[in-house]
Amino acid sequence: MSEGISTSGAAGELQILQLSVGPLEVNCYVLLVGDRAVVVDPGEEGERIAAALRERGASLEAIWLTHAHFDHVGGISALLENRPEGGLAEVPVLLHPADDVLLKNAVAAAARWSLRIDAPPTDTMPLEHGQVLELGGVRVRALHTPGHAPGHVAFHVQEHSVVLTGDALFAGSVGRTDLPLSDGPQLLDSIRRELLTLPDETVVLPGHGPSTTIGAERFGNPFL
Ligand SMILES: [Zn+2]
Ligand SMILES: [Zn+2]
């Protein structure tokens, strides 16, 4: 089962489905505007994500990655193979280039946890800080939030008061910084600069665990 939120804005209805996928229970988010969909962090279970698209008659326009740790990228290949429209259209995979090295090493990183993932495609389209993405008229801004991973980004949907924070910010916690290429002080800097400056009522949809709000984390998160 998936849960989700639905919000209306000037550009129309945005529906966000949340699917918890894989052994590390990554939150994969499906953004839907009409019959157009973007999938954020298809970490595992690509077939199940594709089925959720098919159920809603939606076609996959792009895959956006918050970062390239193996638990966030293991479902990309199966999603691309099983997507409703089949192998005809090219679906871009967007990633900040500072995480290319993590993407290339994702299979080996999973193996260190004794897990096996399908090799993700490594020909990505580069995301940059401040880049405005678009889905069916809804604008989404990429916020470079390095620290947990060097190319980590959050996706802010201002007109719907939602931010997808990946593994930078969780309800009551922040991302791990004991991993290769992680940087603790940089993570706290990123969160303070790019996330805590958003309005308090902004709904936070993190890469693991339950949703929260910027205000709740500003006042109650013991790591900040
Ligand atoms: Zn991560
Ligand atoms: Zn993760």
Side-chain angles (χ1 to χ4, degrees), residues 26 66-72 99 102 148-149 152 166-168 170 175-176 179 182 208:
V26 163
T66 60
H67 65 301
H69 283 151
F70 73 85
D71 54 325
H72 294 252
D99 261 27
L102 290 173
H148 171 73
H152 191 288
D167 286 3
F170 303 120
R176 286 176 63 166
L179 304 165
S182 292
H208 301 265

PDB file of all heavy atoms in Angstrom, residues 26 66-72 99 102 148-149 152 166-168 170 175-176 179 182 208, ligand 1:
ATOM      1  N   VAL A  26      13.402   2.902   2.017  1.00  0.00           N
ATOM      2  CA  VAL A  26      13.511   4.242   1.437  1.00  0.00           C
ATOM      3  C   VAL A  26      12.127   4.720   1.022  1.00  0.00           C
ATOM      4  O   VAL A  26      11.320   3.949   0.480  1.00  0.00           O
ATOM      5  CB  VAL A  26      14.454   4.218   0.213  1.00  0.00           C
ATOM      6  CG1 VAL A  26      14.276   5.455  -0.660  1.00  0.00           C
ATOM      7  CG2 VAL A  26      15.891   4.102   0.675  1.00  0.00           C
ATOM      8  N   THR A  66      17.667  12.406  -5.194  1.00  0.00           N
ATOM      9  CA  THR A  66      18.197  13.305  -4.166  1.00  0.00           C
ATOM     10  C   THR A  66      19.695  13.073  -3.999  1.00  0.00           C
ATOM     11  O   THR A  66      20.445  14.000  -3.705  1.00  0.00           O
ATOM     12  CB  THR A  66      17.506  13.094  -2.802  1.00  0.00           C
ATOM     13  OG1 THR A  66      17.718  11.743  -2.362  1.00  0.00           O
ATOM     14  CG2 THR A  66      16.009  13.391  -2.885  1.00  0.00           C
ATOM     15  N   HIS A  67      20.124  11.822  -4.141  1.00  0.00           N
ATOM     16  CA  HIS A  67      21.534  11.467  -4.087  1.00  0.00           C
ATOM     17  C   HIS A  67      21.640  10.026  -4.555  1.00  0.00           C
ATOM     18  O   HIS A  67      20.633   9.388  -4.845  1.00  0.00           O
ATOM     19  CB  HIS A  67      22.119  11.683  -2.687  1.00  0.00           C
ATOM     20  CG  HIS A  67      21.560  10.805  -1.604  1.00  0.00           C
ATOM     21  ND1 HIS A  67      20.218  10.777  -1.279  1.00  0.00           N
ATOM     22  CD2 HIS A  67      22.159   9.915  -0.760  1.00  0.00           C
ATOM     23  CE1 HIS A  67      20.025   9.926  -0.278  1.00  0.00           C
ATOM     24  NE2 HIS A  67      21.186   9.386   0.046  1.00  0.00           N
ATOM     25  N   ALA A  68      22.893   9.523  -4.627  1.00  0.00           N
ATOM     26  CA  ALA A  68      23.075   8.239  -5.314  1.00  0.00           C
ATOM     27  C   ALA A  68      23.543   7.117  -4.394  1.00  0.00           C
ATOM     28  O   ALA A  68      24.200   6.181  -4.852  1.00  0.00           O
ATOM     29  CB  ALA A  68      24.034   8.413  -6.484  1.00  0.00           C
ATOM     30  N   HIS A  69      23.198   7.163  -3.107  1.00  0.00           N
ATOM     31  CA  HIS A  69      23.437   5.974  -2.280  1.00  0.00           C
ATOM     32  C   HIS A  69      22.618   4.816  -2.831  1.00  0.00           C
ATOM     33  O   HIS A  69      21.521   5.020  -3.363  1.00  0.00           O
ATOM     34  CB  HIS A  69      23.071   6.255  -0.822  1.00  0.00           C
ATOM     35  CG  HIS A  69      24.112   7.077  -0.111  1.00  0.00           C
ATOM     36  ND1 HIS A  69      23.817   7.920   0.931  1.00  0.00           N
ATOM     37  CD2 HIS A  69      25.459   7.170  -0.323  1.00  0.00           C
ATOM     38  CE1 HIS A  69      24.943   8.492   1.347  1.00  0.00           C
ATOM     39  NE2 HIS A  69      25.944   8.067   0.600  1.00  0.00           N
ATOM     40  N   PHE A  70      23.156   3.586  -2.644  1.00  0.00           N
ATOM     41  CA  PHE A  70      22.562   2.438  -3.329  1.00  0.00           C
ATOM     42  C   PHE A  70      21.095   2.228  -2.977  1.00  0.00           C
ATOM     43  O   PHE A  70      20.307   1.751  -3.783  1.00  0.00           O
ATOM     44  CB  PHE A  70      23.371   1.160  -3.042  1.00  0.00           C
ATOM     45  CG  PHE A  70      23.203   0.613  -1.652  1.00  0.00           C
ATOM     46  CD1 PHE A  70      22.142  -0.228  -1.353  1.00  0.00           C
ATOM     47  CD2 PHE A  70      24.104   0.939  -0.647  1.00  0.00           C
ATOM     48  CE1 PHE A  70      21.976  -0.731  -0.063  1.00  0.00           C
ATOM     49  CE2 PHE A  70      23.947   0.435   0.639  1.00  0.00           C
ATOM     50  CZ  PHE A  70      22.873  -0.395   0.936  1.00  0.00           C
ATOM     51  N   ASP A  71      20.705   2.623  -1.730  1.00  0.00           N
ATOM     52  CA  ASP A  71      19.320   2.365  -1.318  1.00  0.00           C
ATOM     53  C   ASP A  71      18.333   3.311  -2.005  1.00  0.00           C
ATOM     54  O   ASP A  71      17.128   3.114  -1.905  1.00  0.00           O
ATOM     55  CB  ASP A  71      19.178   2.433   0.213  1.00  0.00           C
ATOM     56  CG  ASP A  71      19.684   3.715   0.841  1.00  0.00           C
ATOM     57  OD1 ASP A  71      20.690   4.273   0.345  1.00  0.00           O
ATOM     58  OD2 ASP A  71      19.093   4.168   1.840  1.00  0.00           O
ATOM     59  N   HIS A  72      18.842   4.317  -2.722  1.00  0.00           N
ATOM     60  CA  HIS A  72      17.967   5.268  -3.425  1.00  0.00           C
ATOM     61  C   HIS A  72      17.952   5.059  -4.941  1.00  0.00           C
ATOM     62  O   HIS A  72      17.193   5.725  -5.637  1.00  0.00           O
ATOM     63  CB  HIS A  72      18.380   6.710  -3.094  1.00  0.00           C
ATOM     64  CG  HIS A  72      18.162   7.052  -1.648  1.00  0.00           C
ATOM     65  ND1 HIS A  72      17.156   7.897  -1.226  1.00  0.00           N
ATOM     66  CD2 HIS A  72      18.778   6.605  -0.519  1.00  0.00           C
ATOM     67  CE1 HIS A  72      17.188   7.974   0.107  1.00  0.00           C
ATOM     68  NE2 HIS A  72      18.153   7.203   0.547  1.00  0.00           N
ATOM     69  N   ASP A  99      27.590  13.520  -7.234  1.00  0.00           N
ATOM     70  CA  ASP A  99      27.240  12.165  -6.788  1.00  0.00           C
ATOM     71  C   ASP A  99      27.448  11.103  -7.872  1.00  0.00           C
ATOM     72  O   ASP A  99      27.130   9.935  -7.644  1.00  0.00           O
ATOM     73  CB  ASP A  99      25.786  12.111  -6.292  1.00  0.00           C
ATOM     74  CG  ASP A  99      25.704  12.184  -4.765  1.00  0.00           C
ATOM     75  OD1 ASP A  99      26.616  12.770  -4.148  1.00  0.00           O
ATOM     76  OD2 ASP A  99      24.728  11.667  -4.199  1.00  0.00           O
ATOM     77  N   LEU A 102      29.239   8.083  -6.621  1.00  0.00           N
ATOM     78  CA  LEU A 102      28.436   7.175  -5.795  1.00  0.00           C
ATOM     79  C   LEU A 102      27.544   6.297  -6.667  1.00  0.00           C
ATOM     80  O   LEU A 102      27.335   5.110  -6.380  1.00  0.00           O
ATOM     81  CB  LEU A 102      27.575   7.971  -4.804  1.00  0.00           C
ATOM     82  CG  LEU A 102      28.331   8.671  -3.668  1.00  0.00           C
ATOM     83  CD1 LEU A 102      27.371   9.556  -2.868  1.00  0.00           C
ATOM     84  CD2 LEU A 102      29.006   7.668  -2.757  1.00  0.00           C
ATOM     85  N   HIS A 148      25.548  14.863   3.724  1.00  0.00           N
ATOM     86  CA  HIS A 148      25.311  13.409   3.780  1.00  0.00           C
ATOM     87  C   HIS A 148      25.952  12.759   2.552  1.00  0.00           C
ATOM     88  O   HIS A 148      26.563  11.705   2.643  1.00  0.00           O
ATOM     89  CB  HIS A 148      23.808  13.158   3.841  1.00  0.00           C
ATOM     90  CG  HIS A 148      23.421  11.719   3.692  1.00  0.00           C
ATOM     91  ND1 HIS A 148      23.614  10.783   4.687  1.00  0.00           N
ATOM     92  CD2 HIS A 148      22.856  11.046   2.652  1.00  0.00           C
ATOM     93  CE1 HIS A 148      23.185   9.604   4.262  1.00  0.00           C
ATOM     94  NE2 HIS A 148      22.719   9.739   3.036  1.00  0.00           N
ATOM     95  N   ALA A 149      25.798  13.396   1.412  1.00  0.00           N
ATOM     96  CA  ALA A 149      26.469  13.000   0.173  1.00  0.00           C
ATOM     97  C   ALA A 149      26.852  14.297  -0.547  1.00  0.00           C
ATOM     98  O   ALA A 149      26.151  15.306  -0.409  1.00  0.00           O
ATOM     99  CB  ALA A 149      25.542  12.154  -0.703  1.00  0.00           C
ATOM    100  N   HIS A 152      24.128  15.806  -2.858  1.00  0.00           N
ATOM    101  CA  HIS A 152      22.757  15.696  -2.361  1.00  0.00           C
ATOM    102  C   HIS A 152      21.953  16.942  -2.716  1.00  0.00           C
ATOM    103  O   HIS A 152      22.431  18.060  -2.565  1.00  0.00           O
ATOM    104  CB  HIS A 152      22.775  15.507  -0.835  1.00  0.00           C
ATOM    105  CG  HIS A 152      21.455  15.117  -0.262  1.00  0.00           C
ATOM    106  ND1 HIS A 152      20.400  16.000  -0.171  1.00  0.00           N
ATOM    107  CD2 HIS A 152      21.008  13.934   0.216  1.00  0.00           C
ATOM    108  CE1 HIS A 152      19.356  15.358   0.343  1.00  0.00           C
ATOM    109  NE2 HIS A 152      19.692  14.111   0.588  1.00  0.00           N
ATOM    110  N   GLY A 166      15.213  14.089   1.022  1.00  0.00           N
ATOM    111  CA  GLY A 166      16.155  12.971   0.887  1.00  0.00           C
ATOM    112  C   GLY A 166      16.709  12.555   2.227  1.00  0.00           C
ATOM    113  O   GLY A 166      15.979  12.445   3.223  1.00  0.00           O
ATOM    114  N   ASP A 167      18.037  12.343   2.280  1.00  0.00           N
ATOM    115  CA  ASP A 167      18.674  11.926   3.534  1.00  0.00           C
ATOM    116  C   ASP A 167      19.393  13.093   4.217  1.00  0.00           C
ATOM    117  O   ASP A 167      20.289  12.880   5.023  1.00  0.00           O
ATOM    118  CB  ASP A 167      19.682  10.795   3.276  1.00  0.00           C
ATOM    119  CG  ASP A 167      19.006   9.470   3.003  1.00  0.00           C
ATOM    120  OD1 ASP A 167      17.759   9.432   2.949  1.00  0.00           O
ATOM    121  OD2 ASP A 167      19.731   8.463   2.835  1.00  0.00           O
ATOM    122  N   ALA A 168      18.991  14.339   3.897  1.00  0.00           N
ATOM    123  CA  ALA A 168      19.578  15.479   4.618  1.00  0.00           C
ATOM    124  C   ALA A 168      18.858  15.661   5.952  1.00  0.00           C
ATOM    125  O   ALA A 168      19.483  15.692   7.012  1.00  0.00           O
ATOM    126  CB  ALA A 168      19.499  16.755   3.773  1.00  0.00           C
ATOM    127  N   PHE A 170      15.519  14.489   8.462  1.00  0.00           N
ATOM    128  CA  PHE A 170      14.438  13.555   8.805  1.00  0.00           C
ATOM    129  C   PHE A 170      13.619  14.142   9.950  1.00  0.00           C
ATOM    130  O   PHE A 170      14.041  15.113  10.594  1.00  0.00           O
ATOM    131  CB  PHE A 170      15.019  12.217   9.285  1.00  0.00           C
ATOM    132  CG  PHE A 170      15.943  11.535   8.321  1.00  0.00           C
ATOM    133  CD1 PHE A 170      17.259  11.258   8.670  1.00  0.00           C
ATOM    134  CD2 PHE A 170      15.504  11.166   7.058  1.00  0.00           C
ATOM    135  CE1 PHE A 170      18.124  10.607   7.794  1.00  0.00           C
ATOM    136  CE2 PHE A 170      16.359  10.522   6.164  1.00  0.00           C
ATOM    137  CZ  PHE A 170      17.665  10.243   6.535  1.00  0.00           C
ATOM    138  N   GLY A 175      20.802  13.291   8.352  1.00  0.00           N
ATOM    139  CA  GLY A 175      21.446  12.186   7.649  1.00  0.00           C
ATOM    140  C   GLY A 175      22.746  11.751   8.311  1.00  0.00           C
ATOM    141  O   GLY A 175      23.398  12.532   9.020  1.00  0.00           O
ATOM    142  N   ARG A 176      23.125  10.514   8.060  1.00  0.00           N
ATOM    143  CA  ARG A 176      24.398   9.999   8.570  1.00  0.00           C
ATOM    144  C   ARG A 176      25.554  10.742   7.913  1.00  0.00           C
ATOM    145  O   ARG A 176      25.503  11.084   6.737  1.00  0.00           O
ATOM    146  CB  ARG A 176      24.533   8.514   8.208  1.00  0.00           C
ATOM    147  CG  ARG A 176      23.659   7.609   9.025  1.00  0.00           C
ATOM    148  CD  ARG A 176      23.789   6.178   8.531  1.00  0.00           C
ATOM    149  NE  ARG A 176      25.150   5.658   8.696  1.00  0.00           N
ATOM    150  CZ  ARG A 176      25.460   4.365   8.599  1.00  0.00           C
ATOM    151  NH1 ARG A 176      24.519   3.475   8.317  1.00  0.00           N
ATOM    152  NH2 ARG A 176      26.703   3.963   8.765  1.00  0.00           N
ATOM    153  N   LEU A 179      29.728   8.147   6.502  1.00  0.00           N
ATOM    154  CA  LEU A 179      29.888   7.380   5.267  1.00  0.00           C
ATOM    155  C   LEU A 179      31.002   8.008   4.418  1.00  0.00           C
ATOM    156  O   LEU A 179      31.344   9.175   4.605  1.00  0.00           O
ATOM    157  CB  LEU A 179      28.566   7.399   4.484  1.00  0.00           C
ATOM    158  CG  LEU A 179      27.349   6.896   5.265  1.00  0.00           C
ATOM    159  CD1 LEU A 179      26.054   7.275   4.566  1.00  0.00           C
ATOM    160  CD2 LEU A 179      27.440   5.380   5.445  1.00  0.00           C
ATOM    161  N   SER A 182      30.951  11.753   3.135  1.00  0.00           N
ATOM    162  CA  SER A 182      30.058  12.560   3.977  1.00  0.00           C
ATOM    163  C   SER A 182      30.871  13.618   4.724  1.00  0.00           C
ATOM    164  O   SER A 182      32.075  13.480   4.896  1.00  0.00           O
ATOM    165  CB  SER A 182      29.351  11.680   5.010  1.00  0.00           C
ATOM    166  OG  SER A 182      28.445  10.795   4.389  1.00  0.00           O
ATOM    167  N   HIS A 208      13.635   8.713   4.467  1.00  0.00           N
ATOM    168  CA  HIS A 208      13.306   7.589   5.348  1.00  0.00           C
ATOM    169  C   HIS A 208      12.394   8.127   6.445  1.00  0.00           C
ATOM    170  O   HIS A 208      12.565   9.261   6.893  1.00  0.00           O
ATOM    171  CB  HIS A 208      14.551   6.993   6.019  1.00  0.00           C
ATOM    172  CG  HIS A 208      15.591   6.477   5.067  1.00  0.00           C
ATOM    173  ND1 HIS A 208      15.671   5.156   4.672  1.00  0.00           N
ATOM    174  CD2 HIS A 208      16.600   7.109   4.406  1.00  0.00           C
ATOM    175  CE1 HIS A 208      16.686   4.992   3.841  1.00  0.00           C
ATOM    176  NE2 HIS A 208      17.272   6.175   3.659  1.00  0.00           N
TER     177      HIS A 208
HETATM  178 ZN    ZN B   1      21.867   8.282   1.783  1.00  0.00          ZN
END
